[in-house]
Amino acid sequence: MAADIAKAGALLFFAVVLQLSIMAQVTILGGHPNLLLVALVCVALLRGAVFGAVAGFSAGLLADTGVFGTLGFIALLLTLAGYWTGRYGETTGRDRAHAPLLSVAVITLLYQVAALVLRYMLGQNAPGGAIFAGLVPTMLLNLILTFPVYALARRLLRPREWAPREVRLLG
Amino acid sequence: MARNRSVSAVLGSSVPRPRPQPFPSRSRSALRRRVVVAGLVVLALFLITISFREPTSGPLHGVQSAGATVLRPFEVAAERVARPFRDVYGYFAGLIHVKQENEKLKAEVNKLRQQALLGESARAQNTEFRKQLKFVDSPLFPSDYSAVNTRIIGWRNEFDERVVIAAGRNAGIHQETPVVTSDGLVGSVTQVSPTAALVTLLTDESSAVQARDQDTSASGVVRHGEGEGSLIVDRVTKDKLVKEGDVIVTAGTRSKQYPSLFPANIPIGYVISVGQSDTAPFKQIQIQPFVDFSSLDAVTALTTKKQNPKAP
């Protein structure tokens, strides 16, 4: 467990650094890749809901600090992203090859919408038109990132042998 | 022939069955999971509330500054590693428009040469007149300012027009320090730590700069326009003359009520359209900024020891 925490911590730390210093200024067809979100989704899929939520909160807090943002903003969004992805990994998504791609696509959509709503609620700049226009390119860029990031995460955090499901026979 | 359909006959006795897990442990695990996520969500909401309400000098922002200081070397290192790749991309992307841009720049150089000759003679005259009048002035740009040249090390997300620079309080930068490039005005510092600072760009919704038309002296406020990255000059009354192509510069402080953060005469952009309607009280002026905000790389923070005059 301690080794898992160290490996996931290192992976997410470098994802935060790369996201803030490099990825945040990459714009392709109006989309902005989010390496941190992709890395978190991969970690949560491999290690479950609680691990995903805690990892999301910690990485989000670090990202909030690095950009002098509203402390807790990214942390809140990534906590929920990590939790939901982790639950999906623990239940329906186990052993499914498409799980990382499906999770990244859905979580990217939910993350963008949730960030927009949260910013609107806080009275900050929330350009809905620009966000929705860039949603599909952002999703595609994140899906492209998923392949190398998931391969790396899988190498660092070997998939768990999930406990067999309990089946109760009727009759 | 009768077929044996019993489960034990199909599976055989040698297949190990999973040991059934008792339900209480599963419900305990679910409870633990929910408590953890609920706790983290509440903590995040608490942090958002405090961070949002606290002034920038508060303790939470102090912790944030310390965190940013720790992250800074890693961001600088990552940025340096990525630089050659970005330069190569920039080089090839630039080749697409190079011929067209070359012709445009040649024409611009000719025009600017003529303007520079006229400007040089006017500047010499101005200096002489100031000397003769013993004119007392506010800090002048660029002579009364020291330049802190620094690199951009962090960008916020697509919602914000703000960047993090690799110089802070230790380099003499403080809140409201103007930030420029060789092209013109970039924005001002809105948050600062010992080794980094947050710069709010001119294109951010919260930015507003007192500006004037360099040719006609019509004054107004430059702020964020309707489209992404567009700028307008607001509050220019209809009786003032503004033409397409006019250069807009910072006005410096002209109003006692709204002192300007920026020294006078920093170029902002040039006018690309001027319009007015019967119902609107002001002209609708759109400008093209001189600074390309999408490819900012290195910037200059302007620090001065001379105090900005404060109205009594």
Side-chain angles (χ1 to χ4, degrees):
Chain A
M1 185 65 175
D4 277 0
I5 292 172
K7 286 175 190 171
L11 177 67
L12 290 172
F13 178 81
F14 282 107
V16 169
V17 170
L18 291 179
Q19 180 62 39
L20 299 186
S21 51
I22 299 168
M23 291 294 178
Q25 46 186 315
V26 175
T27 306
I28 300 169
L29 300 171
H32 304 269
N34 193 336
L35 179 69
L36 176 58
L37 186 67
V38 173
L40 175 74
V41 166
C42 295
V43 168
L45 266 181
L46 292 163
R47 281 298 172 270
V50 174
F51 199 100
V54 175
F57 181 81
S58 315
L61 213 54
L62 195 65
D64 282 327
T65 302
V67 293
F68 291 94
T70 305
L71 215 57
F73 185 94
I74 304 176
L76 175 64
L77 296 175
L78 291 188
T79 301
L80 295 173
Y83 177 75
W84 281 326
T85 314
R87 280 303 290 155
Y88 174 66
E90 285 170 352
T91 53
T92 333
R94 65 171 81 166
D95 304 331
R96 291 193 178 173
H98 64 261
L101 293 173
L102 184 66
S103 308
V104 166
V106 173
I107 293 293
T108 300
L109 173 71
L110 294 177
Y111 180 90
Q112 295 287 85
V113 173
L116 192 68
V117 171
L118 198 53
R119 290 189 66 87
Y120 182 75
M121 285 166 71
L122 290 172
Q124 295 174 352
N125 181 24
I131 296 303
F132 285 114
L135 192 59
V136 174
T138 301
M139 209 181 272
L140 289 175
L141 291 170
N142 283 356
L143 288 174
I144 293 168
L145 282 176
T146 305
F147 292 98
V149 175
Y150 188 70
L152 178 66
R154 209 177 146 86
R155 209 176 162 84
L156 290 173
L157 309 164
R158 302 186 70 174
R160 273 183 183 163
E161 294 297 325
W162 298 107
R165 280 189 202 176
E166 188 169 301
V167 178
R168 301 175 79 188
L169 294 173
L170 298 173
Chain B
M1 196 173 121
R3 287 196 297 182
N4 190 344
R5 284 175 169 269
S6 78
V7 174
S8 60
V10 173
L11 293 175
S13 58
S14 61
V15 177
R17 292 184 181 198
R19 189 174 294 167
Q21 291 186 353
F23 284 100
S25 80
R26 290 186 66 188
S27 61
R28 263 208 305 277
S29 155
L31 182 67
R32 183 176 139 256
R33 195 173 59 228
R34 284 171 197 156
V35 166
V36 168
V37 76
L40 290 174
V41 167
V42 169
L43 185 57
L45 289 173
F46 176 75
L47 284 172
I48 290 173
T49 309
I50 300 289
S51 173
F52 202 67
R53 289 171 180 271
E54 190 188 63
T56 49
S57 55
L60 202 61
H61 283 90
V63 173
Q64 198 172 14
S65 290
T69 306
V70 172
L71 265 181
R72 184 175 159 265
F74 296 99
E75 288 182 49
V76 171
E79 205 275 335
R80 279 188 187 161
V81 170
R83 171 156 302 283
F85 299 100
R86 204 183 314 143
D87 287 348
V88 169
Y89 172 78
Y91 175 77
F92 285 107
L95 281 179
I96 298 168
H97 307 289
V98 75
K99 197 175 173 188
Q100 195 184 1
E101 202 175 336
N102 190 25
E103 281 170 15
K104 193 179 143 197
L105 287 174
K106 272 182 184 166
E108 206 174 312
V109 164
N110 284 334
K111 191 181 157 195
L112 289 175
R113 266 193 194 134
Q114 291 167 11
Q115 282 183 2
L117 285 172
L118 293 172
E120 187 56 38
S121 120
R123 197 182 65 82
Q125 267 188 342
N126 184 293
T127 313
E128 186 54 37
F129 290 153
R130 276 170 184 267
K131 242 185 230 170
Q132 285 175 13
L133 288 169
K134 295 191 171 63
F135 193 76
V136 179
D137 206 347
S138 58
L140 290 175
F141 171 75
S143 54
D144 290 329
Y145 285 83
S146 321
V148 178
N149 298 311
T150 181
R151 187 175 292 291
I152 290 171
I153 55 166
W155 295 73
R156 293 183 74 165
N157 55 41
E158 62 270 31
F159 295 103
D160 281 317
E161 295 287 330
R162 297 174 198 205
V163 295
V164 182
I165 56 172
R169 208 176 295 124
N170 294 347
I173 292 171
H174 53 82
Q175 254 188 330
E176 301 181 349
T177 293
V179 177
V180 299
T181 66
S182 55
D183 297 327
L185 186 65
V186 171
S188 65
V189 171
T190 45
Q191 211 172 323
V192 64
S193 76
T195 55
L198 181 71
V199 178
T200 299
L201 303 181
L202 196 57
T203 46
D204 190 77
E205 249 190 7
S206 61
S207 292
V209 182
Q210 287 186 43
R212 67 179 177 84
D213 186 319
Q214 202 175 32
D215 303 326
T216 64
S217 288
S219 61
V221 177
V222 170
R223 62 176 181 79
H224 180 262
E226 291 300 315
E228 198 179 350
S230 72
L231 291 176
I232 58 164
V233 189
D234 199 8
R235 311 197 75 78
V236 178
T237 48
K238 289 182 191 169
D239 57 321
K240 300 278 167 50
L241 181 65
V242 178
K243 315 181 293 294
E244 277 183 32
D246 281 2
V247 172
I248 303 295
V249 297
T250 51
T253 296
R254 295 197 154 197
S255 149
K256 193 164 83 175
Q257 197 180 358
Y258 305 109
S260 174
L261 307 175
F262 304 97
N265 298 324
I266 301 178
I268 298 174
Y270 62 91
V271 176
I272 50 174
S273 75
V274 185
Q276 62 184 54
S277 66
D278 294 339
T279 49
F282 302 111
K283 281 180 185 285
Q284 286 119 33
I285 302 167
Q286 197 162 13
I287 63 171
Q288 175 68 43
F290 290 127
V291 174
D292 181 3
F293 290 95
S294 63
S295 62
L296 277 178
D297 178 22
V299 293
T300 303
L302 299 174
T303 60
T304 181
K305 283 182 182 149
K306 199 170 172 182
Q307 279 221 321
N308 266 315
K310 282 192 181 151

